[in-house]
């Protein structure tokens, strides 16, 4: 006689509930909490814990009458497993509550809809997919900006810059890591793709704030109950370790009821949110199951799990008792269940934790199997096929300029100047600067020579009416050689006089990098030297992590600086320089720091009793951001500076990278095509990281020449690599491109965006020559 029938004989209606997902570490599944709540609602119920590894520690929880441990997902015969689940759910009093998102998806696909499978349908799951959560319409929540990682790298990099590199990389079902620069994104993307077997990951902007959740329970579209939980304590990973339970506000509950009804939702769910300091709610994700803290709600007298089984079985549950509105988590040792000894620890793989450590219930394995099902066994179940990426569009002038270079005869690798592309950015800024100028305040651009000291670029800068910004006496010499006058030169940086202290004076402006330098400059001026029209200071605010500038947040140092500035003779004009790399901080942050720098300049005015007459905002802009975010707001920026500093006469920008990054490309030839099963997998080229020293730091657009037509085409992203010619592990020119099936030795590629530090920092290596240093 089946076990459940035996229970029926006792006379009280009993239920048997399978609960899967029992891991109970610091990032737990909810199975144990679900079972504890059910035990209170149905003391006589038979609770069977299901998992896919004996490492899921919740199998030892005494709340389970029995456990049913499966083979790992990779080995499980899914059809047979589905059949045996169907058998077990045959009796009217048997139910299944899954606490594993991917298992829920699989069950919905192969078993659903089923009256005793207490999880949502495939359609409902589609409507809550991350990150857009289409079903959220109507709730008073926003969705933080996101982008799919199937977009081109160029676009992804722009997204990250725009959001100040406060970015999360997230998997389609699980996993989220914060990334703060491009190389970490590349390696984590590769790791996530291999863990989850998909390219469909996404990047999402970070939202500041504190986490809270709403969990609800519903049966066939009827909302049974909902609670609002505010985290009171968290683990280092940000998981709940204590919380406060309250009622959701009506403005939330009413639209939620409509959503549950529209989705015909069955089962538990959790909406994970962040409340910003301004009080706005941002929805991070909506999970198709009860949260791991669900027993905390039961402790507060709201047994959501019990309500679900009650609605599904029609058997009244025991009323929940409110013990406290707050719950804490504690660590408790449990006897190991007889017959389920914990296997010995495995040595960590390459020092890192293996998946089975992080996901004992084997979700990555199931993800791979679902992926395989999607690709072969069952065409298009719910999720779209893997996307095909379209290559990044390059500006037409790149191709025109490259066509203008006669590459058939040149020895590669060869750096090509893109003359029209380069001239365009200098001229565009010159036009914008003159538009923002007024009779009271001139707006000037100064080209940063160190960014790329190529004579042709310096010439373009001079022709466009730029000043020259130099960081050494050698750079000053170069500027003078190319026709700049001393009064068109700005001196900056920590070692202006290197290697010889003789330069042509007076220059336009000198910005001192330290109080010590300022003291020397003040002494030289006092002894009668005419050094510059403007003497300024480079400011380092408390928000900047920088080795440069005077740390004005130190009261002592600020005071010392003020005393020195007050000693300057009246005919010397004061200037302030700040350099905030928007490419690292993000554009919003740049404007905030700009604002606070102006306030600092203003306090210099009031403390010295003199006017600050020159503001210089430095460089550090990525070309696209400079063009789309700074140049259009240049007029506003100047107005803002003049409001703060009424006697401002000169406003200077010092772009380097923004002018020239896209002004050069490196042409290289394919030396070898390496095939795997007939398809090109890697190519070795005659270029290398010696010509592209920052190849790993930001994405570069790549063009390939069709050897028959001579046309240049953008190269899409893919799984192949462009390997450099150097015998060095890190000489990878591009880690993820798509190669044409017929690519051949001798074909030409052009790696674009190589005109800034890619050019000035290139080095001689592997050529049988010493580099002369
Ligand atoms: C290097 C440098 C610049 C230019 O920076 P980019 O990142 O190339 O725009 C501007 N000003 C100073 C003082 C610099 O040292």
């Amino acid at each position: 006689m089946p076990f459940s029938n035996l229970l029926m004989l006792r006379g009280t209606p009993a239920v048997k509930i399978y609960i899967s997902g029992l891991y109970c570490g610091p990032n737990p599944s909810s199975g144990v909490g679900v079972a504890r709540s059910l035990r209170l609602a149905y003391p006589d119920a038979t609770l069977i814990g299901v998992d896919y590894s004996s490492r899921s520690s919740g199998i030892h929880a005494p709340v389970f009458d029995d456990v049913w441990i499966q083979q790992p997902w990779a080995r499980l015969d899914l059809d047979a497993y589905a059949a045996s689940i169907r058998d077990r759910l045959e009796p009217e009093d048997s139910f299944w509550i899954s606490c594993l998102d991917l298992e829920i998806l699989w069950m919905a696909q192969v078993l659903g809809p089923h009256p005793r499978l207490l999880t949502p349908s495939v359609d409902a799951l589609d409507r809550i997919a991350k990150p857009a959560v289409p079903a959220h319409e109507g709730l008073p929540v926003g969705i933080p900006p996101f982008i799919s990682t199937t977009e081109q790298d160029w676009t992804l990099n722009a997204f990250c810059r725009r959001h100040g590199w406060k970015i999360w990389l997230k998997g389609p079902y699980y996993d989220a890591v914060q990334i703060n620069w491009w190389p970490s994104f590349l390696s984590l993307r590769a790791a996530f793709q291999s863990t989850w077997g998909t390219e469909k990951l996404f990047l999402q902007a970070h939202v500041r704030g504190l986490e809270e959740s709403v969990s609800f329970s519903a049966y066939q579209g009827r909302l049974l109950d909902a609670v609002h939980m505010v985290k009171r304590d968290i683990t280092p990973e940000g998981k709940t370790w204590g919380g406060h339970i309250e009622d959701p506000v009506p403005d939330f509950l009413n639209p939620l009821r409509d959503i549950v009804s529209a989705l015909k939702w069955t089962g538990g769910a959790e909406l994970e949110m962040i409340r910003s300091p301004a009080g706005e709610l941002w929805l991070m994700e909506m999970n198709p199951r009860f949260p791991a803290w669900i027993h905390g709600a039961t402790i507060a007298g709201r047994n959501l799990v019990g309500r679900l089984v009650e609605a599904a079985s029609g058997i009244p549950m025991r009323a929940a008792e409110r013990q406290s509105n707050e719950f804490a988590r504690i660590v408790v040792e449990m006897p190991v269940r007889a017959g389920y000894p914990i296997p010995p620890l495995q040595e960590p793989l390459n020092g890192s934790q293996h998946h089975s450590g992080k996901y004992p219930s084997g979700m990555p394995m199931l993800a791979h199997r679902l992926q395989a099902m999607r690709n072969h066994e069952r065409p298009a179940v719910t999720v779209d096929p893997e996307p095909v990426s379209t290559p990044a569009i390059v500006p037409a002038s790149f191709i025109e300029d490259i066509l203008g270079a006669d590459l058939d005869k040149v020895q590669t690798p060869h750096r090509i100047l893109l003359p029209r592309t380069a001239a365009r950015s200098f001229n565009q800024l010159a036009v914008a600067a003159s538009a923002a100028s007024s009779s009271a305040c001139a707006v000037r651009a100064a080209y940063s020579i160190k960014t790329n000291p190529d004579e042709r670029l310096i010439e373009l800068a001079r022709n466009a009416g730029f000043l020259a910004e130099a960081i050494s006496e050698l750079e000053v010499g170069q500027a003078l050689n190319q026709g700049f006058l001393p009064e068109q030169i700005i001196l900056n940086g920590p070692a202006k006089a290197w290697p010889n202290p003789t330069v042509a004076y007076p220059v336009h402006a000198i910005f001192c990098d330290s109080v010590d330098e300022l003291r020397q400059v003040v002494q030289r001026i006092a002894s009668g030297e005419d050094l510059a029209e403007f003497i300024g200071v480079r400011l380092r605010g408390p928000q900047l992590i920088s080795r440069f500038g005077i740390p004005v947040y130190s009261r002592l140092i600020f005071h010392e600086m003020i005393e020195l500035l007050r000693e300057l003779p009246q005919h010397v004009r004061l200037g302030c320089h700040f350099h905030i790399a928007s490419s690292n901080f993000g554009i919003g942050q740049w404007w905030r720091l700009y604002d606070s720098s102006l306030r600092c300049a203003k306090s210099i005015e009031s403390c010295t009793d003199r006017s600050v007459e020159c503001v210089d905002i430095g460089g550090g802009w990525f070309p696209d951001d400079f063009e789309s975010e700074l140049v259009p707001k240049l007029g506003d920026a100047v107005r803002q500076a003049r409001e703060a500093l009424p006697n401002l006469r000169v406003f200077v920008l010092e772009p380097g990278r923004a002018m020239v990054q896209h002004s050069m490309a490196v042409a290289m030839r394919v030396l070898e095509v390496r095939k795997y099963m007939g398809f090109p997998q890697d190519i070795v080229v005659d270029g290398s990281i010696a010509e592209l020293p920052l190849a790993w730091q930001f994405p570069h657009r790549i063009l390939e020449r069709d050897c028959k037509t001579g046309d240049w085409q953008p190269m899409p992203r893919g799984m192949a690599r462009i390997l450099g010619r150097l015998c060095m592990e890190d000489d990878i020119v591009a880690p993820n491109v798509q190669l044409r099936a017929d690519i051949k030795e001798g074909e030409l590629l052009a790696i674009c965006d190589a005109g800034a530090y890619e050019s000035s920092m290139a080095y001689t290596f592997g050529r049988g020559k010493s580099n002369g240093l």
Side-chain angles (χ1 to χ4, degrees), residues 669-747:
R669 284 194 168 84
V670 178
L671 295 177
E672 184 178 294
V673 178
R674 297 184 171 175
K675 295 195 172 181
Y676 177 70
M677 309 210 329
F679 290 99
Q681 195 183 33
D682 286 334
I683 50 174
V684 179
V685 293
D686 59 8
S688 72
I689 52 166
E691 293 77 39
L692 291 159
L694 308 184
W696 54 281
Q697 249 189 39
F698 67 97
H700 294 66
R701 292 168 288 191
I702 302 174
L703 297 167
E704 56 184 326
R705 191 173 76 166
D706 186 314
C707 59
K708 290 179 214 99
T709 63
D711 284 347
W712 288 89
Q713 297 288 348
M715 200 178 233
R717 190 173 76 218
M719 304 297 277
R721 295 179 302 174
I722 303 179
L723 305 174
R725 67 167 191 279
L726 303 175
C727 187
M728 298 292 284
E729 283 292 359
D730 57 354
D731 187 18
I732 295 170
V733 172
N736 47 3
V737 294
Q738 190 176 311
L739 298 174
R740 285 194 339 267
D742 60 350
I743 191 163
K744 288 193 185 56
E745 285 166 27
E747 280 186 29

